Structures are given as structure tokens and as C-alpha cells.
Amino acid sequence: MITVSNLGMSFSGVPLFSDVNLLFTAGNCYGVIGANGAGKSTFLKILSGELEPTKGEISIDPKRRMSVLKQDHFAYEEFTVLDTILQGNARLYEVMQQKDALYAKEDFSEEDGHLAAELEAEFAEMDGWEAETEAGKLLQGLGLGTDLLYAMMSGLSEKEKVKVLLARALFGHPDIILLDEPTNGLDILSIDWLEEFLMDYAGTVIVVSHDRHFLNNVCTHIVDIDYTKIKMYVGNYDFWYESSQLIQRLMRDQNRKKEEKIKELQSFIQRFSANKSKSRQATSRKKLLEKITVEEMPASSRRYPYVGFQMDREPGKEILTVEGLSKTIDGVKVLSGVSFRVEKGDKIAFVGENDIANTTLFQILMGELEPDEGSYKWGATTSQSYFPKDNSAYFNGCDLNLIQWLAQYSKDTTETYLRGFLGKMLFSGDDALKPVKVLSGGEKVRCMLSRMMLFGSNVLVLDQPTNHLDLESITAVNNGMIDFKGVLLFASHDHEFIQTVANRIIEIREDGIVDRRMTFDEYLETIAG
């Protein structure tokens, strides 16, 4: 159990949040959400003791062990994978080191014998004899082999390090787990395994994530940072989002009678309570939802950007034909005889573990790379807009402000028009005059989406369009892709995004492709079976 009392945090006198009173209990998973800069990671650091709050206190039973997902991927370079994971339980690792030091002594005394006996008893009580086995199971669950246990961290790839650090946070049955963006860098199967692990976990989980599918599957509560306040709501992310949108609509309609508002809200709550979840915690969640009162429903001050794509003309029947494309990058063959045909109405998600293959394919289709073998042909009635995974070429060394930058791609270059367009993407007032070279990653993504919306293309090619975005912007892009009437070719790691947008899945493999006209969830069922 974690008790948060009268918590406040300020930086340079500016309050991040204040008057926070919360209770986190065992058996629940709490998803922490909020706009970029709202204080999600700061809140986790306060809970872990890494940061001191400006005001208030955090109360945690000293007998309860807390584990935190570390973000520094280079902090354990001199350790083996096994040692790194075992350090997740600091006391267990300390006992192991003490034991080894004692048994290595040449002049082993009677006093040393008594200490060794005490350490052995404590070691056994903490399931020390099963530690290596548990570490191996965690690695296997995350898609790594147990042969890595004795490898040095310094020799691992970035993706492997991400998984080892996650295993470290989960190791040793901690009472409390704090996770900041745990699905970053994980493949779909590893995320599925993590979801199952957390749904079966008996302790307290507090997680910050931009992955809506993950939040929906594992969370029993949503902790929302907004209005410089932190409030807790029962239910998963979808329930929080739909209820917050409903509240906003009702608040805007002040003429509606209060009784009608209450009736609509109660109907909404009842509908969600009856919704069956795949989670094993569905029964307990339903009971929690049934206890919600209208007054507990969330309201949000958040603003969502407008993402909408209009076609200047309808595409014809001929969209794109790809025949036998092959490409080798740095001595590695990333595309091998790739062939497929795109038809009108297709919204194709390119999935798989090899992101370089997807990026290379898109770069070839957009004329940025030449294939080693094969060919492709766009239909005469198609027009394409491209969202590259790496957008640095559009901003690095550029001395233009936002208005000037967007004017490069617009037929209407009047400041009034451009300001109106940027305003829809949440660049209002003086923000529109910021130099583009100082923009954040998320702001650059919104600029690139604005650029694409100006073209009126009937085919959109997007490589990881939700990277760097907050939940509000991800939701806006997701809705824009659903509403788009043209053809989509895209790559993404966002499960919800793929599931709600794609009607066709293509996985690029070493020996070619797997091409299925189905939803993402249906595709995952076929490869699992």
C-alpha cells in the first residue's frame, strides 16, 4: 500500500501539481496519464524516492519492497545479464555477495560460520536457490534465450538491454513495481507476455505508458495528471477517455437539465460495466465500475490536435504494383523478393520485428533509395505523401519559424491561413513564431503531419507516425487515419492503432512476406495458432 498525502511539486516556483491525496493498494494496476510535461515521470520519481517533493509525504510500509524500471541502458555494462537481473532484489544480491566473500576466505572463523548460517537462512527465505531459474524464465518470457544469462551487458544490443532491464524490475516478486514506458522497444509477443505477467501479479503496479492497448489490458485504475491536480479514476484508459469526452460535451451544453445529464452518465457507466474484457481481472473491475458515482467522472482540460486528410481526387483501380524487390543494407539483406499489389481501399499495416525492412521498403517506394533487384509502379491517378521515420532532414540547420516552414508546402501562403492551420495542430499565438530547429520530437511530428495534410494526396505512406507523441496526439492521428478515404501504407508498434486502422497486414520476413487481408488481432491469432 502507498499513501500519498498533501503532495505538491514545484519547479522554480511554478507548480507542477499540488494537494495530491491518493491511495494505491495491492492487486491493482494504475496507469498514469497526462499531457507531455504534466509531470508523469516526475510523479514516479517522487514515489520511488528519487525526487523529494516540495510539499507533502509518501508513506510506504518499510517491509514492502519496491522495484523500479531503470531507463539508463548503459548503467550495468560491467555486469553479466544474470547479475543485472539479480540486482533487482538488492538485499538478495547483497547476501549473495557476502556469502561468496565469506566462503572465499582462507581463515574461515567460527564467527564467520555463524554469519554464514544467518546469511544462508535469509538467502533461502528469499528463494535465493530459485533466483537463476526465475531470471531465466523472465528472459524467456521477453523473447530472449537463457544462454544470455552469463553474457556481459556491454555486448548486448539496445533491444536486448531494454528487455534485461525490464526483467530486472520484475525479478524477485516485489511488492510494488513502478514502470515508466515499459513497452518501448518491445515486440508484440513480449508485450503480450508482460500483460499476462502484470494481470497475474498480486502486488501494486504503477505504470506510465503511451500504449493504449496495454493500458486497456492491464489497468484497473487511471491516474490522471491535469489542471495541476492528480486524480484517480476506476477503469481502464478507454473508459477514462470516453467518459472524459462525454463530460466535456455535457459541460458545453449548460442548458440540458441536470437530471438528463445524470441519466446519460449512468447509462454510460452501465454500458461499460457490462463490457466483457479479456483481462482476468474483469470481474473485479466490473464491481468497481458499478460503484462509480456521477460526481467521480473525469473532466479534462486537454486539447486534441486536428488530424484530417482530404483527397484532391479519387484514385483509380491501379494503385501500386511491387515485384521482386530486394535490397541489402550494410551487408545485410533486409528485403528479399518482396512482391505485392495494393488495391483501392487498402489500409495496410507493415509489421514484424525488423523495422529496417519496413523503412527501406518505404524509402524505395518514395524514390529515396534504389532497389538492388525488382521494380514497383504507382498508378497514374495516385498522389503520395510520405511521413519518414527520421524527419531530421526537414528541420536540421533550418532557420525558419513555424509559419515560414509551413509556407514552403502551402498553396495559400497568407499568414492568416497558415496560423489557422497551425492552430488546429496546437501551435497558437507566439508558438507559431518558434524556430523549427528548437521544436521537440512531438512538435516536429505534428509539423510533418500538417505538411502532409496540405498536399491532398490519395495515398499516405507513414513510417512510425505515433513516435514521440502524447496520448492526445496519438488519439487524433488514429482517428484521422480511420476517417481517411484513400489508401494507407504504414508501419507502427501501436497495437490499438494497427487494430483500428488496418484492413490488411503484411509482415516482411527474411524469405519474403506474409500477406493477410484481416485485422491485426485476427493476424496475431493465426501466427499464434
Side-chain angles (χ1 to χ4, degrees), residues 159-389:
K159 285 189 175 182
E160 289 170 333
K161 288 178 182 178
V162 166
K163 292 183 176 183
V164 171
L165 291 182
L166 182 55
R168 182 185 188 278
L170 303 178
F171 172 74
H173 313 290
D175 300 292
I176 301 164
I177 302 177
L178 303 185
L179 302 172
D180 194 353
E181 298 293 355
T183 62
N184 279 3
L186 294 188
D187 53 83
I188 294 296
L189 294 178
S190 297
I191 293 173
D192 286 346
W193 176 87
L194 178 60
E195 289 175 358
E196 290 290 327
F197 182 96
L198 295 179
M199 284 190 281
D200 287 340
Y201 177 69
T204 304
V205 181
I206 304 175
V207 57
V208 170
S209 178
H210 286 120
D211 187 327
R212 295 162 299 164
H213 186 268
F214 178 75
L215 291 174
N216 281 331
N217 276 357
V218 304
C219 289
T220 57
H221 297 72
I222 293 296
V223 178
D224 180 31
I225 305 180
D226 200 5
Y227 296 112
T228 69
K229 303 291 183 185
I230 305 182
K231 294 184 178 181
M232 186 184 293
Y233 303 99
V234 175
N236 61 14
Y237 177 76
D238 273 355
F239 180 79
W240 172 88
Y241 174 72
E242 292 198 29
S243 57
S244 68
Q245 294 297 296
L246 178 57
I247 284 286
Q248 294 304 311
R249 288 197 299 272
L250 296 180
M251 287 171 65
R252 287 194 293 265
D253 186 6
Q254 293 299 323
N255 293 327
R256 185 174 297 177
K257 294 179 182 179
K258 186 176 181 181
E259 289 77 13
E260 291 178 352
K261 293 183 183 181
I262 292 173
K263 184 177 179 181
E264 184 173 353
L265 286 170
Q266 288 173 336
S267 172
F268 173 80
I269 293 169
Q270 187 177 12
R271 177 168 62 85
F272 253 87
S273 296
N275 185 34
K276 290 184 179 179
S277 167
K278 289 189 290 185
S279 168
R280 298 174 189 177
Q281 297 171 332
T283 303
S284 61
R285 292 179 187 185
K286 183 178 178 181
K287 290 178 181 176
L288 289 169
L289 284 170
E290 288 169 348
K291 295 177 183 177
I292 295 177
T293 63
V294 172
E295 289 74 22
E296 292 172 336
M297 299 289 279
S300 175
S301 64
R302 291 196 190 93
R303 295 159 61 217
Y304 292 77
Y306 170 76
V307 179
F309 296 89
Q310 303 298 323
M311 300 183 294
D312 286 345
R313 64 172 178 174
E314 283 273 340
K317 289 184 179 180
E318 297 293 324
I319 304 296
L320 173 66
T321 302
V322 175
E323 294 183 350
L325 285 186
S326 295
K327 183 68 177 179
T328 298
I329 304 283
D330 296 329
V332 178
K333 197 164 191 177
V334 294
L335 297 177
S336 179
V338 173
S339 300
F340 59 91
R341 184 184 178 92
V342 179
E343 299 176 4
K344 188 174 180 179
D346 276 349
K347 293 187 175 182
I348 307 174
F350 289 81
V351 303
E353 292 188 27
N354 192 352
D355 290 344
I356 296 174
N358 296 330
T359 297
T360 302
L361 174 65
F362 291 164
Q363 288 176 324
I364 291 173
L365 296 180
M366 298 311 295
E368 292 187 358
L369 283 179
E370 287 291 326
D372 297 334
E373 300 172 23
S375 63
Y376 66 94
K377 183 180 179 181
W378 288 102
T381 60
T382 65
S383 54
Q384 305 87 35
S385 287
Y386 179 40
F387 181 99
K389 185 175 182 180

Side-chain angles (χ1 to χ4, degrees), residues 41-112:
S41 295
T42 298
F43 182 58
L44 253 60
K45 287 178 180 178
I46 292 173
L47 292 178
S48 70
E50 185 179 340
L51 277 180
E52 280 290 326
T54 308
K55 182 185 175 185
E57 62 180 10
I58 307 293
S59 177
I60 303 173
D61 185 342
K63 296 178 182 178
R64 302 299 178 192
R65 186 168 72 84
M66 177 185 288
S67 187
V68 181
L69 175 60
K70 300 293 185 182
Q71 297 294 336
D72 185 353
H73 299 164
F74 302 99
Y76 305 95
E77 297 291 271
E78 71 275 19
F79 294 100
T80 64
V81 169
L82 178 59
D83 278 344
T84 302
I85 295 173
L86 295 181
Q87 287 174 46
N89 186 338
R91 179 54 188 163
L92 174 64
Y93 189 73
E94 183 185 0
V95 167
M96 294 174 72
Q97 297 295 101
Q98 286 182 289
K99 279 174 52 186
D100 290 345
L102 274 177
Y103 294 140
K105 291 177 69 173
E106 293 183 4
D107 53 342
F108 192 82
S109 66
E110 185 178 345
E111 186 179 340
D112 289 334

Side-chain angles (χ1 to χ4, degrees), residues 2-6 20-24 43 223 230-232:
I2 304 175
T3 304
V4 179
S5 305
N6 300 315
V20 179
N21 295 280
L22 300 170
L23 181 66
F24 298 93
F43 182 58
V223 178
I230 305 182
K231 294 184 178 181
M232 186 184 293

